[in-house]
Amino acid sequence: MATISDVAEKTGLSKATVSRVINNHPYISKEKRELVYKAMEELGYQPNPSARRLRGQLTNTIGVIVPRIVNPFFSYLVDAMEQVAYENNYQVLMFQSDEKKDKELYFLNLLKTKQVDGLIMTSIENDREVIESYTEYGPILFCNEYKSRSDLPVVRVDQAEAAYLGTKHLLDRGYRKIAYCTGGLFVEDGKDKDRNVGFQKALNDYNINVNTGWVFVNKHTIEDGKHVMKQIAEMRERPDAIFTGSDEIAAGVLMEAKALGMKIPEDLAVIGFDDQPIAEMIDPALTTIRQPIKEMGTESVGMLLRLLKNHPLEQKHQELSVELVVRSST
Amino acid sequence: MATISDVAEKTGLSKATVSRVINNHPYISKEKRELVYKAMEELGYQPNPSARRLRGQLTNTIGVIVPRIVNPFFSYLVDAMEQVAYENNYQVLMFQSDEKKDKELYFLNLLKTKQVDGLIMTSIENDREVIESYTEYGPILFCNEYKSRSDLPVVRVDQAEAAYLGTKHLLDRGYRKIAYCTGGLFVEDGKDKDRNVGFQKALNDYNINVNTGWVFVNKHTIEDGKHVMKQIAEMRERPDAIFTGSDEIAAGVLMEAKALGMKIPEDLAVIGFDDQPIAEMIDPALTTIRQPIKEMGTESVGMLLRLLKNHPLEQKHQELSVELVVRSST
DNA sequence: TTGTAAGCGTTATCAG
DNA sequence: CTGATAACGCTTACAA
């Protein structure tokens, strides 16, 4: 593989000069500059990123950690980030943490060892202190998830408002017995907490208390949704609506309801979360809360790039708004 | 950040010895070995991969190029690869080529510059010669896509058989006027070609000629599917069934059909491809051809790891079988 | 069993 | 404007 020395030799110049050309330094004669370009072209020369990194260079690469790439919310989010990064001449490396602490640590180490210039975390497994300790090596930004006591930059949607909006919608439609799914496991922190707050607030507006028998925790998948529906079907006193917390769960609920011969929304109104492609395709089409995925991606990458250029951030916390998408399931 | 020198200093040993410990060389006294481990622990030392790479080391990282991560087929495929790689102590870097030659080249260069030890390509944008020239720097393996005249290792499903199976199913059900979608643009090569062959073969079995007015090329998305359905609806002589080539397109067809008040499968039978999650969720549930995604991922990573260890490959071409999943759309 | 020293490909510093 | 040189962190002959 051609190295900078090869280019230097071929042009009769020094490595230093070649390096300057590569890095667009000023004060180089036009002829030599072009000479170098020509030689680079002919040799198929590509700078070796490892060597550059060793010298402490930036890599024009940012890393994005997602919990599960098969979750469309995250694949679309990464996709949006990729677009913006590409326009700014940055590459995106995607990592799947699988919700495992050790994998997440591995990726944080990529920052430590300068494999990536900065990191966007769309999920958080390790403790706040652990993650913050890595900011020494490059900027880290939370997108979607966050830790409330951390002062790392965050791009997120107002989850409390989102949950409030969705629950309010159900209440406005006349449903009063509302079940609730959450992905979190009684977390004290982060977005699940916020959603709980919004849910409660909406119920409060209507002077309704939460029925803890209708609260399902640690739910994520389509299978979980089916299971929830089964449980509900067996209840003596059933809810008349359910806030599912994700379109996957909602889809599972819908499918199982269909299998059980129940009518949506007559027997049970269902509201999803995310507005994923399936929301529109499933029957009945899902009422859901649309997260501004594109905007989240754009905003995160934008902020991270500003951070990388040491530009000051106008605000460390970007809070985006959600939108209620009413379809046929409520 | 702690370096090997720090560890050496702290232990009073030389860098060389520390390096030997890190790399599990034999002939090191137990005491020193433990001394080094202790110091590494205390300093939070992590070897710098850039330095290692510069020395020509392996990185225990493999790269996977996908065209579009938002396509569930690919996100599930990468996910499957990730599992196996992780079990073998390898990390997976995911890249989205966006079906662009230049992006793909960027990723190929990661191999050239030893950022990844090997590469799995699930899509191919550049010419065969270009890609093969990169095998000089590390093993490359095709998964899903392939170039027929290339002798790079391939893991794929028998697309001809798959298309044959699907088309045969339609014919067996009594449909005779079969429309056909393909992602390829009259390609001479790769999987689209194979599918065309399978499609034709099935029709031949029934002595039916392809109606070119019912062939749609370069179709990929849900939107494409809707568009196809619109076109069909406007035809004077309509097909009675359609082989869509992907569940996305099939979903689009179904949605548009519903919008137009058409009955599936009575007015038009629809068969998808991939058996993605939506296939089961959409109404009517989609008859489709299941690709062995998990197996493809497992097999690809397994082959690549063998290649990386210079183990001989029993066979360079793994061909996996598909399965027809009959639901309600045909 | 351990240490010394060279070198991987870059770029920054300093000197012209 | 250009060139020599050191340094980044690591591994590996070679020597001891």
Side-chain angles (χ1 to χ4, degrees):
Chain A
M1 207 190 115
T3 73
I4 198 171
S5 299
D6 298 331
V7 181
E9 196 169 337
K10 190 172 175 100
T11 54
L13 295 167
S14 70
K15 290 194 296 177
T17 304
V18 176
S19 173
R20 289 192 185 99
V21 172
I22 295 169
N23 294 285
N24 281 313
H25 283 225
Y27 311 127
I28 306 176
S29 67
K30 245 202 177 87
E31 353 158 17
K32 313 232 161 172
R33 187 182 295 274
E34 270 152 24
L35 197 60
V36 171
Y37 280 138
K38 188 155 159 288
M40 296 200 322
E41 174 82 14
E42 284 174 22
L43 291 168
Y45 168 76
Q46 291 271 4
N48 183 322
S50 296
R52 292 183 129 178
R53 278 202 266 278
L54 200 52
R55 284 291 332 222
Q57 295 284 298
L58 293 186
T59 61
N60 269 42
T61 302
I62 63 180
V64 179
I65 301 186
V66 299
R68 302 271 296 147
I69 196 65
V70 299
N71 180 328
F73 172 75
F74 292 105
S75 60
Y76 277 88
L77 184 55
V78 178
D79 188 54
M81 293 175 178
E82 232 257 348
Q83 310 297 335
V84 186
Y86 186 65
E87 286 162 17
N88 287 276
N89 205 22
Y90 268 78
Q91 301 297 332
V92 171
L93 257 38
M94 301 178 260
F95 304 122
Q96 173 163 268
S97 75
D98 238 346
E99 300 178 4
K100 292 192 180 123
K101 283 194 179 190
D102 65 329
K103 287 203 186 187
E104 186 175 272
L105 277 178
Y106 169 85
F107 297 135
L108 284 164
N109 275 318
L110 289 186
L111 183 62
K112 189 167 176 178
T113 55
K114 296 276 171 262
Q115 317 245 60
V116 297
D117 299 340
L119 217 47
I120 297 178
M121 304 182 65
T122 69
S123 69
I124 310 174
E125 304 305 326
N126 286 277
D127 292 335
R128 185 172 64 86
E129 296 79 17
V130 176
I131 292 167
E132 286 183 351
S133 75
Y134 280 85
T135 55
E136 179 186 344
Y137 311 110
I140 298 178
L141 182 147
F142 293 143
C143 174
N144 173 56
E145 269 294 2
Y146 72 103
K147 294 271 187 181
S148 59
R149 280 159 311 170
S150 170
D151 65 344
L152 290 184
V154 179
V155 172
R156 62 190 192 88
V157 306
D158 187 337
Q159 300 282 344
E161 186 210 358
Y164 179 80
L165 214 66
T167 314
K168 183 92 176 355
H169 166 75
L170 293 173
L171 291 162
D172 289 346
R173 290 261 158 136
Y175 303 106
R176 290 291 178 274
K177 297 153 70 176
I178 303 180
Y180 181 77
C181 293
T182 171
L185 201 56
F186 299 109
V187 282
E188 301 264 312
D189 211 21
K191 72 181 182 191
D192 285 299
K193 171 76 179 307
D194 290 345
R195 285 195 192 167
N196 297 349
V197 168
F199 177 67
Q200 299 237 13
K201 179 156 175 285
L203 290 190
N204 282 348
D205 285 1
Y206 278 73
N207 288 314
I208 297 175
N209 286 322
V210 176
N211 179 334
T212 51
W214 295 337
V215 172
F216 303 86
V217 299
N218 205 18
K219 298 295 172 236
H220 296 94
T221 65
I222 294 177
E223 283 312 309
D224 289 339
K226 290 184 183 174
H227 193 68
V228 164
M229 185 66 240
K230 279 191 190 118
Q231 283 186 264
I232 288 178
E234 284 169 6
M235 285 179 179
R236 179 170 299 234
E237 193 189 353
R238 294 184 193 170
D240 57 8
I242 182 165
F243 178 97
T244 61
S246 94
D247 287 350
E248 275 97 344
I249 300 171
V253 169
L254 256 56
M255 289 170 74
E256 188 62 32
K258 199 176 290 181
L260 294 170
M262 289 176 65
K263 285 272 180 219
I264 307 286
E266 292 79 3
D267 297 330
L268 185 75
V270 180
I271 184 164
F273 208 105
D274 285 351
D275 194 26
Q276 294 184 1
I278 51 162
E280 204 185 348
M281 287 166 10
I282 205 162
D283 184 51
L286 205 54
T287 293
T288 189
I289 294 152
R290 176 181 299 154
Q291 305 216 52
I293 293 190
K294 186 115 193 155
E295 210 179 335
M296 290 172 78
T298 309
E299 197 56 43
S300 315
V301 173
M303 272 174 85
L304 193 66
L305 293 183
R306 260 170 274 148
L307 246 23
L308 285 170
K309 287 170 189 153
N310 288 314
H311 290 183
L313 244 39
E314 315 82 61
Q315 37 181 334
K316 292 189 93 167
H317 296 252
Q318 280 283 350
E319 206 161 89
L320 307 174
S321 286
V322 297
E323 183 189 343
L324 182 70
V325 181
V326 180
R327 297 205 179 89
S328 323
S329 68
T330 51
Chain B
M1 206 190 116
T3 73
I4 199 172
S5 300
D6 298 331
V7 180
E9 196 169 337
K10 190 172 177 101
T11 54
L13 296 167
S14 71
K15 291 193 295 175
T17 305
V18 176
S19 171
R20 290 190 186 103
V21 172
I22 295 168
N23 294 285
N24 281 314
H25 283 227
Y27 310 126
I28 305 175
S29 67
K30 244 200 176 89
E31 354 159 15
K32 313 234 158 168
R33 188 183 293 276
E34 270 152 24
L35 197 61
V36 171
Y37 280 139
K38 187 156 161 287
M40 294 199 323
E41 174 82 11
E42 284 174 22
L43 291 168
Y45 169 75
Q46 291 271 3
N48 183 322
S50 296
R52 293 182 126 179
R53 278 202 266 277
L54 201 51
R55 286 290 330 227
Q57 294 286 296
L58 293 186
T59 62
N60 269 41
T61 302
I62 62 179
V64 179
I65 302 186
V66 299
R68 302 270 296 147
I69 196 64
V70 298
N71 181 329
F73 173 75
F74 292 105
S75 60
Y76 278 89
L77 184 55
V78 178
D79 188 54
M81 292 175 178
E82 233 257 349
Q83 310 298 335
V84 186
Y86 186 65
E87 286 161 18
N88 287 276
N89 205 21
Y90 268 77
Q91 302 296 334
V92 171
L93 257 38
M94 302 179 259
F95 304 121
Q96 173 162 266
S97 75
D98 240 345
E99 300 178 4
K100 294 196 179 117
K101 282 195 179 189
D102 64 331
K103 288 202 185 188
E104 187 175 273
L105 277 179
Y106 169 85
F107 297 134
L108 284 164
N109 275 318
L110 289 187
L111 183 61
K112 189 166 176 180
T113 55
K114 295 277 172 261
Q115 318 244 55
V116 296
D117 299 340
L119 216 48
I120 298 178
M121 304 183 66
T122 68
S123 69
I124 310 173
E125 304 306 325
N126 286 277
D127 292 336
R128 185 172 62 86
E129 296 79 17
V130 176
I131 291 167
E132 286 183 350
S133 75
Y134 280 86
T135 55
E136 177 186 345
Y137 310 111
I140 297 177
L141 182 146
F142 294 143
C143 174
N144 174 56
E145 268 294 1
Y146 73 102
K147 294 272 186 181
S148 60
R149 279 159 312 171
S150 171
D151 64 344
L152 290 184
V154 179
V155 172
R156 64 191 191 87
V157 306
D158 187 336
Q159 300 282 344
E161 185 209 359
Y164 178 80
L165 215 65
T167 312
K168 182 92 174 356
H169 166 75
L170 293 173
L171 291 161
D172 290 346
R173 290 262 158 135
Y175 303 105
R176 289 293 178 273
K177 296 153 70 177
I178 302 179
Y180 181 77
C181 293
T182 172
L185 201 56
F186 299 108
V187 282
E188 301 264 312
D189 210 24
K191 72 181 182 192
D192 285 299
K193 172 77 178 307
D194 290 345
R195 286 196 193 168
N196 297 349
V197 169
F199 177 67
Q200 299 236 12
K201 179 156 173 286
L203 291 189
N204 282 349
D205 285 1
Y206 278 72
N207 288 314
I208 297 174
N209 286 323
V210 175
N211 179 332
T212 52
W214 295 337
V215 171
F216 303 87
V217 299
N218 205 18
K219 298 296 174 235
H220 297 95
T221 65
I222 294 177
E223 283 311 310
D224 289 339
K226 290 184 182 174
H227 193 69
V228 165
M229 185 66 241
K230 278 191 191 116
Q231 282 186 265
I232 289 177
E234 283 169 7
M235 284 178 180
R236 179 171 300 233
E237 192 190 354
R238 295 182 191 172
D240 58 7
I242 182 165
F243 178 97
T244 60
S246 94
D247 287 349
E248 274 97 346
I249 300 171
V253 169
L254 257 56
M255 289 170 73
E256 187 63 31
K258 197 176 291 180
L260 294 170
M262 290 176 66
K263 286 272 180 221
I264 305 289
E266 291 78 3
D267 296 329
L268 186 74
V270 180
I271 184 165
F273 209 105
D274 284 352
D275 194 26
Q276 294 184 0
I278 51 163
E280 205 186 347
M281 286 164 14
I282 204 162
D283 185 51
L286 205 54
T287 293
T288 188
I289 294 151
R290 176 181 299 156
Q291 306 217 52
I293 294 190
K294 184 114 195 156
E295 210 180 335
M296 290 171 79
T298 308
E299 197 57 42
S300 313
V301 172
M303 271 173 86
L304 193 67
L305 293 183
R306 261 170 272 148
L307 247 21
L308 284 170
K309 289 169 187 152
N310 288 313
H311 291 183
L313 244 39
E314 314 81 61
Q315 36 181 335
K316 292 189 93 168
H317 296 252
Q318 281 283 349
E319 206 162 89
L320 306 173
S321 286
V322 297
E323 183 188 343
L324 182 70
V325 180
V326 181
R327 298 204 179 88
S328 323
S329 68
T330 51

